[in-house]
Amino acid sequence: MIYVPSRMGRLNRRALLRQLQKLGVASRADLAKSLGMSQPTAGKIVDELIEMDVLEEVAAQPVESADHNGNHNGNGETGTQLGRPGRQLRLNQSRAKFLGIHLGLNLTTLAGLTLAVENEDRWPVSFELKRTDSNPAKLWEKHLRQAAKALGAEPFIGVVLSVPGVVDEAAGRVLFSPNLHWTEKTDLKAMVRRIWDVPVLLVQEERALAQGHHLAEPECEDFLLVDFGEGVGGAIIVEGKPFSNPLPISGELGHTPVPGNVRRCGCGAVGCIETLVSLRGLMESFAAAVPAAEKSWRGLCEYVAQNGVKPWLSQSLDPAAAAIAGALNVLGLRRVVVTGSLAEMPATVMQYLSHAVQNGAMWARFGEVECVSAPRRRTAGMVAVGIDRLIVPDGKELHREAMKKAPPQVAPVASAAANPAIN
Ligand SMILES: [Zn+2]
């Protein structure tokens, strides 16, 4: 169900939800105060959101610093004025509202998602597709149907589908996917809707990760997130929002060419960074440099823990760091958040990468450049996308919905030739 309030109402609703995402739990009075809204305005929004099952009330937690009159920290007094002493609010975490699906290179994972901000991803249901499967689209749908049974009949209000590649999120299409070309020719949204008949939102996988990181660490407002795994990609958050640029492509650090690298990339080019620092790329270099070692990810990590960053590894990390530093210099950012395989490797790898990024980042010559690792918070980002686009859609989303219902009456483009006036 998409609720359509006035523009001002939408902005206030968004602001209030964001504030609650940051705070976790808050009273009506806390929310009004921190947002600079009048208490009646905040109270009205809260009531509507409770009605929509987006917020829920919980008993106030006893606060340790309760004063000698027994008032809780700020909540007691003002709460009483509103006639709801001791009631706190939080985003609904009693039941799953969205279905999150992450389509990975081999593994697809699913989870029912409440509106709470989760600090860690949990995927109770998953299935695998093999690279050799001849009709991956058909098989994916079949597995999805089985997964639906495992998940049970939750009344989800929407599905958020995270996918790799170049994704037109507004149109809900994968334009180009170097490692999963079949998704370019498949109407993934329609496929999912055949199983769950609710709105389906496509989100680019790194954009979901970046939004999840921002939710979990709201003070981190401007950063470049780089995820290393089956592929290598990035996403940019500026002033707390996903970076907005004209094309539905950004953060594609993994496809920067590395001179001298002759490995062929799934994107069709030769020598991309991804072929060196993806899981597969790292395994390939490791196996070639240390043929006697156990050829597994664990074997690689153990080797690095014992031997440090040897040339086979530094030769892959250096170009990745150079691309990251280049992005910082171009975008005007000074913070990098690394998630995925490099973040899970022995700490010496992140130290090496961080040092190499600082070497290339101009801001580091006179200021501070941070390069930190963090866990993947994909589900948190997917919930953020679901809230923004389905629960409190902005003007653009509403416009899109309206256009779907009533397509604009315009002359077809082809008529330009027949109508010399349009020139
Ligand atoms: Zn490439």
Side-chain angles (χ1 to χ4, degrees):
M1 181 188 61
I2 295 175
Y3 180 78
V4 187
S6 70
R7 182 165 183 276
M8 197 56 208
R10 280 200 313 273
L11 292 176
N12 283 340
R13 220 169 242 105
R14 260 191 178 207
L16 192 139
L17 284 175
R18 281 206 200 292
Q19 191 66 5
L20 210 46
Q21 282 171 330
K22 269 189 211 173
L23 299 173
V25 178
S27 68
R28 283 170 162 77
D30 292 338
L31 286 168
K33 199 173 161 197
S34 63
L35 291 163
M37 279 179 201
S38 72
Q39 290 198 4
T41 303
K44 186 166 168 272
I45 295 174
V46 164
D47 288 339
E48 285 165 0
L49 290 170
I50 289 175
E51 179 74 13
M52 289 163 71
D53 210 24
V54 172
L55 300 188
E56 61 188 6
E57 284 189 305
V58 285
Q61 297 292 316
V63 179
E64 279 176 22
S65 57
D67 66 26
H68 56 273
N69 296 324
N71 280 336
H72 293 313
N73 239 358
N75 303 334
E77 275 172 71
T78 39
T80 311
Q81 279 170 13
L82 279 176
R84 295 171 198 268
R87 301 302 282 172
Q88 298 265 58
L89 300 151
R90 68 177 186 198
L91 284 149
N92 191 323
Q93 45 190 272
S94 303
R95 69 175 189 85
K97 290 283 182 186
F98 297 115
L99 168 63
I101 306 176
H102 172 61
L103 173 52
L105 184 53
N106 299 311
L107 196 68
T108 294
T109 49
L110 300 94
L113 306 172
T114 74
L115 302 182
V117 178
E118 294 291 343
N119 223 353
E120 221 175 287
D121 287 351
R122 268 188 297 267
W123 302 103
V125 178
S126 65
F127 61 85
E128 222 168 314
L129 284 192
K130 297 201 173 54
R131 278 165 177 274
T132 46
D133 288 331
S134 61
N135 190 343
K138 201 173 158 198
L139 206 58
W140 192 69
E141 186 172 354
K142 189 181 146 200
H143 281 299
L144 217 50
R145 275 184 200 285
Q146 285 162 356
K149 284 181 200 143
L151 280 162
E154 285 272 8
F156 300 118
I157 58 171
V159 177
V160 184
L161 173 58
S162 146
V163 286
V166 178
V167 184
D168 185 342
E169 293 184 352
R173 277 177 56 216
V174 177
L175 301 177
F176 183 68
S177 192
N179 301 312
L180 281 175
H181 285 293
W182 66 268
T183 60
E184 298 157 6
K185 296 168 271 296
T186 308
D187 188 347
L188 294 169
K189 277 175 78 166
M191 210 172 245
V192 173
R193 272 200 94 137
R194 285 201 283 274
I195 303 169
W196 293 275
D197 189 18
V198 289
V200 180
L201 306 173
L202 239 66
V203 57
Q204 204 276 340
E205 59 169 355
E206 272 87 22
R207 282 169 73 94
L209 287 175
Q211 288 177 76
H213 183 79
H214 174 59
L215 265 193
E217 294 183 26
E219 74 290 349
C220 189
E221 288 237 293
D222 305 283
F223 62 92
L224 166 69
L225 179 139
V226 188
D227 184 61
F228 293 86
E230 290 156 342
V232 176
I236 302 138
I237 298 281
V238 176
E239 291 178 356
K241 295 188 195 76
F243 180 63
S244 145
N245 53 303
L247 294 176
I249 181 171
S250 63
E252 291 290 353
L253 295 162
H255 299 281
T256 310
V258 180
N261 174 21
V262 295
R263 290 186 191 168
R264 201 160 272 287
C265 181
C267 75
V270 172
C272 294
I273 284 175
E274 186 167 295
T275 67
L276 298 172
V277 278
S278 63
L279 287 169
R280 221 169 110 191
L282 288 171
M283 281 306 300
E284 201 178 321
S285 305
F286 175 58
V290 196
E294 180 193 319
K295 285 175 191 56
S296 68
W297 182 246
R298 210 191 60 186
L300 184 153
C301 289
E302 277 171 9
Y303 179 88
V304 174
Q306 282 162 20
N307 299 278
V309 178
K310 293 284 181 195
W312 65 268
L313 182 53
S314 65
Q315 282 158 14
S316 296
L317 294 176
D318 286 337
I324 292 170
L328 297 184
N329 292 344
V330 170
L331 292 164
L333 292 172
R334 58 164 208 88
R335 184 191 282 247
V336 186
V337 176
V338 174
T339 57
S341 51
L342 289 198
E344 291 152 16
M345 285 174 83
T348 171
V349 172
M350 269 305 295
Q351 284 157 10
Y352 185 95
L353 185 82
S354 172
H355 187 71
V357 167
Q358 313 234 4
N359 272 343
M362 197 171 169
W363 191 261
R365 315 269 192 275
F366 56 93
E368 200 187 329
V369 168
E370 271 179 89
C371 186
V372 295
S373 63
R376 281 183 178 135
R377 285 138 172 169
R378 206 185 301 278
T379 55
M382 292 163 90
V383 172
V385 169
I387 289 179
D388 281 359
R389 289 174 61 187
L390 290 178
I391 292 176
V392 279
D394 64 13
K396 271 187 263 168
E397 293 293 332
L398 291 169
H399 179 68
R400 221 171 280 131
E401 283 302 312
M403 298 301 263
K404 258 190 247 164
K405 279 178 202 133
Q409 301 295 311
V410 289
V413 178
S415 70
N419 183 358
I422 314 175
N423 273 330

